[in-house]
């Protein structure tokens, strides 16, 4: 076969192929065109390639080059058709959007179980006549220890048992996050108990007092099923004339039956706290056993003296209970770390 004849044949093949590809109306007809023209076994290009073998050997290089160009052109026309049809089918999908179909409901969030518990505890104590007081989470040693009758040598002040904020030797602490310098009369720490708020309230107000305070406290404990380095406490303080331990026990019993139910018993065990005398530990029933919910007692006269109250005139009781433990007891949660994992599967149950 002569070279120019071969070239003319290829050009014609390419022209008609490009024309047909550009007119293919859908994916199925495009595919049958592809088989007809580009098919590896018996496509038109394949048979044209066989013509190469019958060329004079002098013409072969040029003919081969021409064949390759033709093949590229045809393939490009095929790709263009494919892209065109794909674009068309996605606009079609968009136009089939149906605004009347029911949509996916967005998940509505809710308050964290600890926040819910805090609100409920405030409600219960509110009905018992207690108002809500607040205090700072960063405290000085006076409110966290001294005024609570925890003297300088008491092990509760051990730096290893508290989160002291870094203080430099000149009495200046740096607040790492805000890069601020704050002057200190005494070192500051993250409060280790909400009993700090008892002191703040009595410093500011004359008796009688009837408050609860709820908030975060911090202790460098290793996290396990019953401990976490940050947790919440509810502190209660009642100061008046002739307050007795019987009043304390009654208030805690009423509280326990409102929050956990009539059938849950409370147990008081003799204990010691520097700021109460006598002191008790408060346990609540859980299955066949008991869980410790916190401590309580009659306000120590030294605490009254520290805030300028006359212990001959007033008496009072105080208690501090763990909010996570109360909530865990109510819902049968055996690991308090669940509260802080932010696992939506856990949280959405509340
Ligand atoms: N502050 C004590 C604690 O954190 C609890 C407590 C509060 C005990 C009030 C007695 C009176 O363990």
């Amino acid at each position: 076969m002569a070279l120019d004849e071969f070239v003319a044949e290829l050009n014609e093949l390419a022209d008609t192929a490009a024309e047909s590809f550009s007119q293919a109306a859908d994916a199925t007809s495009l595919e049958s065109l592809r088989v007809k023209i580009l098919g590896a076994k018996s496509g038109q290009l394949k048979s044209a390639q066989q013509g190469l073998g019958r060329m004079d050997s002098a013409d072969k290089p040029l003919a081969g080059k021409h064949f390759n160009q033709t093949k590229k052109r045809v393939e490009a026309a095929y790709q263009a058709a494919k892209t065109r049809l794909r674009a068309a089918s996605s606009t079609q999908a968009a136009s089939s959007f149906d605004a009347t179909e029911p949509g996916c409901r967005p998940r509505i969030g809710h308050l964290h179980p600890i926040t819910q518990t805090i609100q409920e505890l405030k409600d219960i104590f509110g009905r018992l006549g207690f108002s809500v007081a607040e205090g700072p989470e960063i405290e000085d040693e006076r409110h966290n220890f001294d005024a609570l009758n925890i003297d300088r040598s008491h092990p509760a002040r051990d730096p290893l048992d508290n989160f002291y904020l870094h203080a430099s030797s000149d009495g200046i602490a740096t607040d790492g996050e805000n890069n601020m310098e704050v002057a200190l009369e005494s070192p500051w720490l993250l409060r280790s108990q909400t009993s700090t708020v008892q002191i703040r309230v009595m410093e500011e107000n004359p008796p009688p007092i009837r408050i609860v305070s709820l908030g975060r406290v911090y202790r460098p404990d290793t996290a396990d099923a019953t401990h976490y380095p940050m947790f919440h406490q509810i502190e209660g303080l009642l100061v008046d004339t002739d307050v007795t331990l019987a009043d304390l026990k009654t208030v805690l019993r009423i509280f326990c039956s409102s929050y956990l139910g009539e059938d849950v018993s409370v147990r008081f065990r003799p204990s010691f706290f520097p700021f109460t005398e006598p002191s008790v530990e408060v346990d609540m029933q859980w299955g066949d056993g008991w869980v410790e919910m916190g401590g309580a007692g009659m306000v120590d006269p030294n605490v009254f003296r520290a805030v300028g109250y006359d212990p001959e005139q007033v008496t009072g009781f105080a208690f501090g209970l763990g909010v996570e433990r109360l909530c865990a007891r109510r819902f049968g949660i055996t690991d308090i770390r669940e509260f802080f994992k932010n696992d939506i599967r856990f949280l959405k149950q509340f």
Side-chain angles (χ1 to χ4, degrees), residues 155-172:
R157 299 174 76 129
D158 191 322
L160 293 177
D161 290 332
N162 291 283
F163 286 112
Y164 279 94
L165 301 176
H166 169 74
S168 65
S169 51
D170 54 1
I172 302 282

Side-chain angles (χ1 to χ4, degrees), residues 165-175 180-188:
L165 301 176
H166 169 74
S168 65
S169 51
D170 54 1
I172 302 282
T174 21
D175 168 347
M180 258 168 29
E181 288 199 335
V182 272
L184 294 181
E185 288 141 36
S186 70
W188 284 3

Side-chain angles (χ1 to χ4, degrees), residues 6-19 44 70 73:
F6 182 66
V7 169
E9 203 175 281
L10 285 178
N11 283 347
E12 175 160 0
L13 192 162
D15 288 345
T16 32
E19 175 79 14
Q44 294 172 352
T70 307
R73 234 188 102 192

Side-chain angles (χ1 to χ4, degrees), residues 45 140 150 168 177 211 256 316:
L45 262 182
D140 52 36
I150 305 175
S168 65
E177 199 170 300
I211 57 103
C256 180

Side-chain angles (χ1 to χ4, degrees), residues 225-298:
T226 50
H227 297 86
Y228 207 75
M230 183 281 304
F231 60 100
H232 297 74
Q233 282 188 325
I234 173 169
E235 188 83 13
L237 174 69
L238 186 144
V239 181
D240 209 327
T241 50
D242 304 321
V243 181
T244 68
L245 193 66
D247 298 322
L248 167 67
K249 291 170 78 173
T250 305
V251 164
L252 288 178
R253 286 220 158 92
I254 293 175
F255 159 69
C256 180
S257 52
S258 333
Y259 182 67
L260 295 177
E262 297 290 344
D263 53 331
V264 178
S265 311
V266 191
R267 181 175 79 173
F268 300 92
R269 277 179 295 124
S271 185
F272 173 81
F273 297 101
F275 34 93
T276 46
E277 181 57 36
S279 303
V280 292
E281 228 131 277
V282 184
D283 297 343
M284 293 180 190
Q285 210 186 348
W286 192 338
D288 296 335
W290 297 87
V291 262
E292 185 190 321
M293 289 295 172
M298 300 307 292

Side-chain angles (χ1 to χ4, degrees), residues 12-81:
E12 175 160 0
L13 192 162
D15 288 345
T16 32
E19 175 79 14
S20 332
F21 281 142
S22 75
Q23 279 168 9
D26 52 45
T28 334
S29 47
L30 180 64
E31 177 58 12
S32 52
L33 278 172
R34 187 192 66 78
V35 174
K36 184 176 146 207
I37 300 166
L38 283 162
K41 270 197 198 138
S42 53
Q44 294 172 352
L45 262 182
K46 189 75 197 174
S47 12
Q49 192 177 18
Q50 278 151 12
L52 263 182
R54 300 191 297 272
M55 307 287 300
D56 290 345
S57 50
D59 290 337
K60 269 188 185 162
L62 249 184
K65 197 173 156 201
H66 210 84
F67 174 81
N68 286 335
Q69 282 169 355
T70 307
K71 190 174 172 198
K72 271 200 191 125
R73 234 188 102 192
V74 173
E75 278 168 355
Y78 167 69
Q79 285 303 334

Side-chain angles (χ1 to χ4, degrees), residues 109-124 214 232 259 323 327 330-331 339 346-350:
H110 59 66
L111 294 176
H112 188 280
I114 293 300
T115 312
Q116 291 182 33
T117 307
I118 287 174
Q119 287 187 344
E120 194 172 344
L121 301 184
K122 282 180 183 170
D123 278 356
I124 295 173
L214 294 102
H232 297 74
Y259 182 67
V323 174
C327 181
R330 162 108 158 237
F331 292 105
F339 289 122
F346 172 77
L347 295 175
K348 74 179 178 196
Q349 303 176 85
F350 295 90

